[in-house]
Amino acid sequence: MLKANDFEGRDVISIKDFTREEIDFILKTASRMAPLVEKGSDLLRGKILATLFFEPSTRTRLSFEASMHRLGGSVIGFSQPGVSSVAKGESLADTVRVVENYADVIVIRHPLEGAARLAAEFAQVPVINAGSGSEEHPTQALLDLHTILEAKGRIDGLKIALLGDLRYGRTVHSLAYALSNYDVELFLVSPPQLRMKREVLKDIKGKIQVVEMDDLTPLLQDLDVLYVTRIQKERFPDPLEYEKVKGSYRIDKKLLESGREDLIVMHPLPRITEIAPDVDETPQAWYFKEVRHGLYVRMALLALILGAIK
Ligand code: NCD
């Protein structure tokens, strides 16, 4: 049987490093954290989190910071590499070996794939990946799962579509890996240029039923969860390729009329044009509710990794 202290000192680099049992344990712990958002707690008093953000972020960085504060801990770090010694040419490995002296846990976001793994190899303290290029975003996948559980009460048995940029979007890579531990039907809907990364597809195909398609319409009336993503403009090697797919899909209130009443629409945010504002007032809109789950899940992870829950 899995115990809370089995998580102590662990890195969170890829969601693939976690079994279903471990994921379920984290999700359960996250539910226990929900009341502490209002009440506060001193579970992590005296602990320090360092946030090293080499890429823009609103939600992920602020929710890690808020999670740490809610549990009585403190936060140091930077959100613009230009203001740290990285601007002088310091390597990531050196930065990490310095920061580990100041903090008990490091959260890192970096534009390069493999960066979080590299940081973890050099750091003596646990490292949490807050987004590594277009590779993965494991804590987002955990909060996505926690949101689905709140909305549907289960993950097994659901029909879930991931819509959008499945090639460069890291949240959908982690979410697809995470969902492959459950008994779900997964539909991957995207323009042909933005199909799911082959290595992800190869990994999940043997585990769950996966269908790739480029049109959502025939699916909509059967779906339980529609997970929409932004086209990752900044990750296109060629701007002309971006121009070809720009604005190629958009969810609006009218379209949702052909979906089930209990369909939920999710999005990791930021949303650009892929979900029309008229969806915001519908009961199907779950993307702003997801943000709250980011706190629960990150509070749980920090408490588990820092050995504060026995
Ligand atoms: C995502 C990311 O950074 O990958 N944002 C987030 O963390 N919620 C999604 C995106 O940028 O499109």
Side-chain angles (χ1 to χ4, degrees), residues 41 44-50 62-75 104-105 295 298-299 302 306:
S41 150
L44 295 181
R45 190 206 299 257
K47 300 287 185 191
I48 299 179
L49 160 73
L62 293 185
S63 78
F64 267 112
E65 293 193 3
S67 300
M68 199 63 189
H69 288 304
R70 293 292 190 201
L71 294 177
S74 4
V75 184
D104 303 290
V105 54
L295 281 178
R298 290 175 178 128
M299 285 164 76
L302 291 168
L306 292 171

Side-chain angles (χ1 to χ4, degrees), residues 69-86:
H69 288 304
R70 293 292 190 201
L71 294 177
S74 4
V75 184
I76 56 172
F78 57 80
S79 54
Q80 290 158 324
V83 301
S84 74
S85 283
V86 172

Side-chain angles (χ1 to χ4, degrees), residues 16 37 52 79 89 96 102 106 114 121 144 168 170 194 196 225 234 269 287 294 308:
K16 283 197 286 180
V37 173
L52 312 185
S79 54
V96 161
Y102 309 140
I106 295 174
E121 276 164 20
D144 293 333
Y168 298 114
R170 54 194 172 200
L194 300 178
M196 179 56 87
V225 178
E234 70 280 20
L269 303 177
Y287 31 94

Side-chain angles (χ1 to χ4, degrees), residues 55-57 59-60 109 130 137 140 170-171 230 232 234-235 267-270 298:
E55 257 194 1
S57 171
R59 273 150 295 272
T60 306
R109 168 171 287 191
H137 193 346
Q140 176 72 42
R170 54 194 172 200
T171 67
R230 164 181 81 87
Q232 309 280 301
E234 70 280 20
R235 303 203 196 283
H267 192 304
L269 303 177
R298 290 175 178 128

